[in-house]
């Protein structure tokens, strides 16, 4: 998770759903860089929902699979939903 201004995500977050059920969320509370992770089981379906905050144009993030392969780079101004 990155914030180009360095003041965190200003209320933005990523909701995490595992097999259709809400599990947790990720956010960058302060600073310009942070990481997070989650534990899943084989065959779990994981989805991510970006929630807008203030200054979304400062936000970028990348999501990786368990093998370290990038599933996508999002932002600046990631699409909500």
């Amino acid at each position: 998770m990155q914030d180009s201004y360095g003041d965190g995500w200003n209320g933005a977050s990523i909701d995490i759903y595992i097999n259709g059920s809400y599990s947790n969320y990720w956010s960058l509370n302060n600073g310009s860089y942070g990481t997070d992770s989650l534990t899943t089981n084989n065959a779990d379906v994981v989805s991510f929902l970006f929630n807008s905050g203030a200054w979304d144009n400062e936000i970028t993030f990348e999501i990786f699979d368990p093998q370290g392969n990038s599933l996508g780079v999002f932002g600046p101004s990631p699409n909500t939903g």
Side-chain angles (χ1 to χ4, degrees), residues 13-67:
S13 63
I14 302 169
D15 288 341
I16 303 159
Y17 293 84
I18 300 175
N19 299 321
S21 296
Y22 177 82
S23 172
N24 202 351
Y25 75 95
W26 293 334
S27 187
L28 184 61
N29 292 324
N30 58 49
S32 58
Y33 176 79
T35 61
D36 213 329
S37 63
L38 66 134
T39 301
T40 61
N41 298 310
N42 285 338
D44 278 347
V45 175
V46 181
S47 57
F48 303 92
L49 174 75
F50 178 73
N51 301 297
S52 181
W55 305 104
D56 288 350
N57 60 319
E58 300 173 0
I59 294 173
T60 57
F61 60 91
E62 187 169 8
I63 297 176
F64 296 91
D65 71 10
Q67 290 76 37

